[in-house]
Amino acid sequence: MAKAVVYALLATAFILFMVFCPSKQHGHHDHLGLNRRLGFRDHVPVFDPLVAKMERYTEENGLGGETHNLDLVEHSPMMEASEVEQVHEYFSDEGKLNLTLRLLSLFPLIDQAPKDSYISSNELKHWLTQQAVERLNYRTQNEMESYDKDGDGTISFSEYQPKFSSQDLEKNGMEHGEAGWWKQQFDNADADKNGTLTFNEFKDLLHPEDSNNSEIHKWLLAEKMKQNRLTKCPPVMRRRMDQDNDGKLNFMEFSHNAYDSFKSYVEFETGGAKAPTAEEKFAELDLNKDNLLEVEELKPLLHYLHPGELSYTNYYASFLMSEADDNKDGKLTLNEMLDHDYVFYSTVYDAGDNEEDYHDEF
C-alpha cells in the first residue's frame, strides 16, 4: 500500500508538470491565445475531470508550482484508495498519463445524446459545462466552510466581511471596496432577503458572472459601465464605457467600448462570419428608441462583456471542435480526438508564460 501511495503522489506531481508545461512538439495551438483574444481572465476549462482532480489535490496540499520537490510530495496527505487505483490505471510508473487510454474511457461518457459514436458540438459543450458546474460548486463549498464560522450552513454579512464595523455600514460608502459597495453585492445575492446566504446564493456572490440572478446581472453591468480598467488589461478592456457617467451608453460610448468585446466573441462564435455593425446592434438593443442604452437594455450583452466559466465553456468547446474536427463535419470521431490528444490536455496556462497579469477585480 505504501508503494501505491508513493506512485499516486508521484503521479500527482508529474501530471501537473505535464499540464503546466505541455509538449511543444505536437503542433497544437496555444490555448492561452484563445484567452488573449477573448479576454477571459478566470479559471480555464479542463477537459478531463481526472486532471482537474489532480490539480486540485496539488493546490490543496501546497504543492503549487513546486511539484518537482519530492519532499513536498512525500509529505502530502494520502489519496483515497479509489484515486490510487485510478492513478495505477491511467498513469505509468514514471508518472506519464496515458492519453489514449483516457480518451478511450471518456469518449463514451461524452457521446450520450444520441449515442452514435460521434461527439457533437452540443455534447462537447454539455460535457464541459458539467465540469465547470462541478468546479464552481467545489470552490463555493470550500469558501462556505471557510466563512461559515457558526456552522449553520449559511453566510451572514459579518461572516463574509468581518473587517467592516456597524459604523462602516452606517456610512454606506459606495466606492469600490467600501462597506456599502460590498453590502450591495451581498444584498443582491440574498434572493430571499432573509439576511443570510444559502449555498446557491453564496455561489452567486462569489461567481456573479455565472449567476441567473437578475439583480446581480444589473449590478455587474452597472459596474462594467463605470469601471476604470487597469493599464495591464488588454486594450479593449482598458476604457471606461460610461465616459460621461450618466449611467447609460450613447452610441459613441457603445461603439468605442462595449461593441469591440461583443464583436470579438460573435466572430469567434460564428467562425469569422461578419458581426452586426455597431449601428445595427445599437438599434437592436435600444428598445425605447431614446438613443441611449440603459442597464436593462444591455442585459443581452452581459455574457459578452463579462463572460463567466459557464459562458466560456461554449467558446472553449468551439475551439476544441475547430482544432480536432479534421473533416469539418461538425462532430468528432474517436480517431480525430486521438489524433489531436494534446489539444484536449493543454487546457491550462503554461506556467512559464510571461504574459502580464490583467486580473480584473470586482
Side-chain angles (χ1 to χ4, degrees):
M1 179 63 186
K3 182 177 181 181
V5 171
V6 170
Y7 282 150
L9 294 174
L10 287 172
T12 301
F14 275 102
I15 182 58
L16 264 293
F17 176 80
M18 182 196 74
V19 172
F20 281 112
C21 304
S23 171
K24 303 296 182 183
Q25 300 175 357
H26 295 269
H28 66 282
H29 292 282
D30 182 7
H31 293 75
L32 184 54
L34 175 66
N35 300 296
R36 290 194 198 100
R37 176 177 177 182
L38 297 181
F40 187 73
R41 303 174 303 283
D42 213 321
H43 292 72
V44 182
V46 177
F47 173 75
D48 188 340
L50 178 59
V51 173
K53 182 184 295 184
M54 295 298 229
E55 292 181 17
R56 183 185 305 157
Y57 178 77
T58 57
E59 289 176 7
E60 289 179 350
N61 291 287
L63 296 177
E66 300 184 69
T67 53
H68 60 281
N69 190 321
L70 279 181
D71 287 336
L72 287 174
V73 174
E74 290 171 351
H75 289 90
S76 296
M78 293 185 181
M79 299 177 74
E80 297 291 334
S82 59
E83 293 172 326
V84 173
E85 291 177 5
Q86 263 197 325
V87 168
H88 277 295
E89 182 177 0
Y90 294 109
F91 288 84
S92 68
D93 290 350
E94 292 76 29
K96 299 295 184 180
L97 178 63
N98 188 324
L99 302 188
T100 297
L101 193 58
R102 280 303 292 162
L103 289 173
L104 285 170
S105 173
L106 293 176
F107 190 91
L109 300 179
I110 306 171
D111 175 27
Q112 291 290 327
K115 206 166 189 63
D116 57 359
S117 299
Y118 294 97
I119 291 178
S120 67
S121 177
N122 285 337
E123 287 173 322
L124 189 56
K125 288 177 182 178
H126 180 71
W127 172 259
L128 289 173
T129 298
Q130 283 183 309
Q131 312 311 312
V133 169
E134 195 277 335
R135 286 194 302 276
L136 291 173
N137 287 341
Y138 182 82
R139 293 204 297 270
T140 300
Q141 185 60 45
N142 279 353
E143 293 293 307
M144 194 94 179
E145 293 172 0
S146 172
Y147 285 105
D148 185 15
K149 301 302 183 184
D150 61 10
D152 67 351
T154 64
I155 304 297
S156 66
F157 184 75
S158 61
E159 286 177 320
Y160 181 55
Q161 291 292 340
K163 64 183 178 182
F164 294 122
S165 66
S166 57
Q167 290 78 14
D168 293 327
L169 290 173
E170 288 175 5
K171 291 177 184 178
N172 197 33
M174 297 305 293
E175 291 298 316
H176 184 105
E178 291 186 338
W181 186 86
W182 280 112
K183 188 62 164 63
Q184 183 181 21
Q185 291 187 61
F186 187 93
D187 290 344
N188 286 338
D190 184 15
D192 59 12
K193 305 305 177 187
N194 69 349
T196 60
L197 302 185
T198 63
F199 177 88
N200 286 330
E201 290 172 335
F202 192 50
K203 181 165 68 170
D204 286 346
L205 177 65
L206 296 176
H207 309 285
E209 65 282 352
D210 290 305
S211 168
N212 290 320
N213 182 319
S214 62
E215 292 302 311
I216 289 177
H217 289 180
K218 287 191 290 186
W219 179 85
L220 272 177
L221 286 167
E223 287 292 307
K224 187 66 65 175
M225 289 168 67
K226 69 185 181 182
Q227 187 180 20
N228 287 310
R229 299 294 176 183
L230 300 177
T231 55
K232 287 186 177 183
C233 294
V236 71
M237 307 297 287
R238 289 177 190 166
R239 295 182 290 267
R240 179 189 180 100
M241 281 197 268
D242 180 19
Q243 295 176 357
D244 59 12
N245 200 31
D246 65 350
K248 304 174 183 179
L249 298 185
N250 59 40
F251 177 72
M252 292 301 294
E253 290 169 332
F254 171 78
S255 61
H256 290 166
N257 299 283
Y259 177 72
D260 292 339
S261 181
F262 164 76
K263 184 172 181 286
S264 293
Y265 276 96
V266 168
E267 288 179 346
F268 185 81
E269 281 180 317
T270 59
K274 187 177 180 181
T277 65
E279 292 80 4
E280 290 169 341
K281 194 62 185 177
F282 188 90
E284 176 190 332
L285 294 169
D286 185 19
L287 298 178
N288 62 6
K289 305 306 176 187
D290 65 349
N291 295 316
L292 293 170
L293 297 182
E294 301 175 6
V295 167
E296 286 285 345
E297 293 173 314
L298 284 167
K299 278 186 176 181
L301 294 191
L302 177 62
H303 67 287
Y304 297 113
L305 298 179
H306 194 53
E309 287 197 51
L310 298 181
S311 296
Y312 190 75
T313 54
N314 291 331
Y315 301 111
Y316 194 70
S318 297
F319 174 78
L320 292 179
M321 186 68 69
S322 68
E323 292 291 294
D325 182 19
D326 289 331
N327 61 4
K328 304 306 175 186
D329 64 351
K331 52 191 177 182
L332 300 178
T333 64
L334 177 59
N335 285 336
E336 284 175 327
M337 292 182 72
L338 293 175
D339 287 343
H340 300 278
D341 52 7
Y342 276 83
V343 170
F344 297 92
Y345 284 89
S346 296
T347 53
V348 294
Y349 293 114
D350 187 336
D353 197 284
N354 292 321
E355 288 297 306
E356 290 184 330
D357 176 14
Y358 51 92
H359 178 63
D360 172 21
E361 182 182 356
F362 266 172

